[in-house]
């Protein structure tokens, strides 16, 4: 049965079908809106599949998850949604599994870590759409002026930050633990300290000894020593930290590929290295993926599968990743980018992707846990803060949410 279903994406199904597709906008304005990508993709697909039409709706990231939730709640689910999370819809039985939609070659082409991250109850429902990894960025000009080498360990970060402060760098190490995306900054530090959000069995380990040690170190060695700049980490959002880096005001921070492009536009000389760890570079990196999924409501399984098989062809995967400085999610598209000289700046990120760790998005409790991290984690490093207490509070609430599922 599984083998039969896995091949179903090869056919368009019987009769004329119109697929409703809702997607997020990755652009920064009208000039690079994702609408152009989706409209071109839809028209090219329709030209090759005369009996399937695609009705595209693109919304900002601020609105797209809410729009899809409203559509589902009102009984008008889209056929395809490209959004930030899939687990709640999978739990509710509203999604087709990957092997119900995709040709075998398509499903087998996903990078294994991403395919695993798309699973709910050991079945893949979330199809990775694009991905990103994180590296430590440093300002080459500031480092050269101070006679510093790229950091490899936590001690290097602390010592380099102290020198940069003496040199007058505004943010020797920018530590954005504000509510915008502090769950990402937190995860990067946890991984570099040998911990993480979950163990190998998928259970939360937010207040593990390794994680508490990481935040104790951050508080004592960076924050308490005044090496993180004029804005308290709990008040500093990622966007503000990135803006400061592109102005040349930051010595070091954790970043993703888009920051590389923005810094180069403003003539900031960028160095990038794997996340420093306690005794050396961290072997794994943090990965982030966005998801696309097929809804059952309109019984368009075969047409959805046909569209996905087309969408995940190399030319289409690479085109989107290239437009927004993101990473492809398939083995074959990754090989295309790795061998193309114009993508050389992304190779460090591509190299990190296969061994990256992802948020536990297959847990429906992760939404609650993530919000708690955003709300609370800055308190762990503020004056008088108690890292063990804050991590313990988040861990208890996350486990309560998990037990309620």
């Amino acid at each position: 049965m599984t083998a039969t279903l896995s091949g179903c994406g090869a056919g368009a199904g019987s009769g004329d079908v119109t697929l409703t597709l809702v997607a997020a906008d990755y652009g920064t304005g009208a000039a690079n809106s994702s609408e152009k990508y989706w409209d071109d993709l839809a028209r090219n697909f329709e030209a090759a599949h005369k009996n399937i039409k695609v009705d595209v709706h693109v919304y900002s990231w601020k609105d797209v998850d809410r729009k899809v939730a409203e559509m589902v709640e009102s009984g008008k689910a889209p056929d395809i949604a490209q959004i930030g999370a899939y687990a709640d819809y999978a739990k509710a039985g509203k999604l087709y599994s990957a092997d119900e939609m995709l040709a075998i070659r398509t499903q087998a082409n996903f990078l294994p870590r991403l395919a695993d991250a798309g699973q709910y109850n050991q079945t893949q429902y979330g199809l990775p759409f694009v991905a990103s990894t994180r590296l430590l960025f440093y300002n080459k000009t500031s480092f050269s002026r101070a006679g510093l080498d790229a950091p490899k360990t936590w001690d290097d970060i602390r010592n380099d930050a102290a020198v940069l402060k003496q040199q007058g760098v505004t943010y020797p190490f920018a530590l954005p633990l504000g509510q915008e995306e502090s769950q990402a900054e937190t995860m990067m530090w946890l991984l570099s300290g040998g911990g993480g959000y979950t163990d190998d069995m998928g259970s939360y380990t937010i207040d593990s000894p390794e994680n508490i040690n990481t935040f104790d170190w951050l508080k004592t060695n960076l924050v308490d020593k005044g090496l993180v700049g004029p804005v308290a980490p709990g008040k500093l959002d990622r966007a503000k930290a990135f803006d400061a880096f592109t102005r040349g005001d930051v010595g070091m921070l954790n970043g993703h590929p888009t920051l590389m492009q923005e810094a180069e536009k403003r003539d900031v000389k960028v160095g990038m290295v794997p996340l420093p760890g306690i005794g050396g570079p961290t072997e794994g990196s943090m990965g982030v993926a966005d998801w696309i999924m097929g809804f059952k409501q309109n019984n368009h399984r075969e047409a959805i599968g046909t569209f996905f098989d087309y969408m995940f062809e190399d030319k289409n995967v690479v085109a989107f990743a290239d437009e927004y400085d993101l990473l492809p999610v398939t083995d074959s598209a990754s090989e295309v980018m790795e061998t193309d000289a114009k993508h050389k700046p992304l190779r460090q990120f591509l190299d990190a992707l296969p061994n990256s760790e992802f948020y536990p998005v297959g847990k429906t409790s992760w939404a609650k846990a993530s919000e708690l991290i955003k709300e609370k984690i800055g308190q762990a490093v503020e004056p008088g803060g108690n890292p063990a207490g804050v991590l313990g509070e988040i861990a208890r609430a996350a486990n309560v949410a998990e037990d309620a599922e």
Side-chain angles (χ1 to χ4, degrees):
M1 175 65 79
T2 299
T4 302
L5 290 174
S6 296
C8 73
S14 59
D16 291 338
V17 172
T18 297
L19 298 176
T20 300
L21 185 153
V22 176
D25 192 353
Y26 288 72
T28 56
N32 68 342
S33 171
S34 300
E35 284 190 33
K36 184 180 186 304
Y37 171 84
W38 286 111
D39 286 343
D40 289 347
L41 184 73
R43 300 300 81 80
N44 292 333
F45 172 79
E46 290 170 349
H49 302 86
K50 300 298 186 182
N51 61 328
I52 307 177
K53 304 298 181 185
V54 184
D55 183 19
V56 174
H57 303 268
V58 176
Y59 298 98
S60 72
W61 269 112
K62 291 182 179 179
D63 298 326
V64 68
D65 289 289
R66 175 177 54 81
K67 287 283 187 181
V68 171
E70 289 173 352
M71 293 171 74
V72 173
E73 188 174 348
S74 65
K76 299 178 181 179
D79 295 291
I80 297 169
Q82 186 270 299
I83 50 179
Y86 63 85
D88 284 338
Y89 297 122
K91 180 186 178 184
K94 296 183 180 297
L95 302 181
Y96 291 117
S97 63
D99 60 3
E100 289 178 307
M101 298 180 291
L102 304 181
I104 293 172
R105 67 182 181 278
T106 304
Q107 188 175 4
N109 198 23
F110 291 128
L111 293 167
R113 285 289 180 101
L114 288 165
D116 290 345
Q119 292 185 1
Y120 171 77
N121 276 356
Q122 300 181 320
T123 299
Q124 185 181 358
Y125 294 95
L127 312 182
F129 178 64
V130 286
S132 174
T133 54
R134 306 297 168 92
L135 298 172
L136 184 133
F137 283 55
Y138 64 96
N139 184 311
K140 280 188 170 182
T141 302
S142 296
F143 267 65
S144 177
R145 187 180 297 125
L148 300 172
D149 296 324
K152 296 180 180 179
T153 67
W154 285 0
D155 285 347
D156 290 341
I157 289 176
R158 178 194 61 214
N159 296 338
D160 292 350
V163 174
L164 292 170
K165 182 179 180 180
Q166 292 174 351
Q167 295 280 326
V169 174
T170 307
Y171 293 86
F173 192 101
L175 185 65
L177 294 177
Q179 292 197 22
E180 181 188 358
E181 205 194 24
S182 55
Q183 82 282 7
E185 185 72 16
T186 297
M187 183 170 173
M188 284 182 271
W189 280 101
L190 299 186
L191 291 174
S192 72
Y197 286 133
T198 59
D199 60 20
D200 291 341
M201 301 301 293
S203 299
Y204 284 120
T205 55
I206 294 170
D207 61 345
S208 69
E210 293 84 359
N211 293 347
I212 292 171
N213 177 66
T214 294
F215 270 81
D216 279 336
W217 188 91
L218 279 173
K219 183 178 186 306
T220 302
N221 289 272
L222 293 185
V223 182
D224 289 352
K225 292 183 183 298
L227 300 178
V228 295
V231 181
K235 303 294 184 183
L236 182 64
D237 284 338
R238 182 195 66 177
K240 296 295 185 183
F242 280 16
D243 286 345
F245 187 83
T246 63
R247 294 195 305 268
D249 293 338
V250 174
M252 297 172 278
L253 85 172
N254 294 318
H256 55 58
T258 304
L259 177 60
M260 174 183 63
Q261 182 187 55
E262 293 302 315
E264 289 176 350
K265 285 179 182 177
R266 301 178 70 169
D267 294 325
V268 175
K269 305 301 181 185
V270 178
M272 297 176 294
V273 292
L275 303 179
I278 297 173
T282 305
E283 291 186 6
S285 177
M286 189 193 82
V288 176
D290 296 324
W291 306 94
I292 194 163
M293 60 212 72
F295 281 84
K296 291 180 177 180
Q297 181 176 315
N298 301 316
N299 297 313
H300 290 160
R301 175 175 63 87
E302 291 192 29
I304 293 170
T306 302
F307 179 80
F308 280 151
D309 287 339
Y310 178 83
M311 189 196 81
F312 282 112
E313 291 179 7
D314 288 350
K315 62 182 180 181
N316 299 321
V317 173
V318 171
F320 193 91
D322 194 30
E323 175 67 25
Y324 299 106
D325 278 328
L326 293 165
L327 305 181
V329 295
T330 63
D331 282 315
S332 57
S334 295
E335 290 175 6
V336 169
M337 291 188 77
E338 285 170 355
T339 56
D340 190 333
K342 76 174 184 178
H343 296 122
K344 185 177 180 180
L346 288 174
R347 286 178 186 166
Q348 282 183 271
F349 296 97
L350 285 164
D351 290 344
L353 186 57
N355 295 318
S356 292
E357 299 288 337
F358 293 84
Y359 298 134
V361 290
K363 299 165 77 68
T364 55
S365 59
W366 170 242
K368 176 65 173 177
S370 178
E371 286 303 314
L372 285 165
I373 294 164
K374 291 180 184 180
E375 179 185 347
K376 301 285 187 181
I377 197 63
Q379 299 172 14
V381 296
E382 66 185 16
N386 177 6
V390 172
L391 290 171
E393 181 183 355
I394 296 170
R396 288 189 293 274
N399 286 321
V400 168
E402 177 72 5
D403 291 343
E405 297 298 335

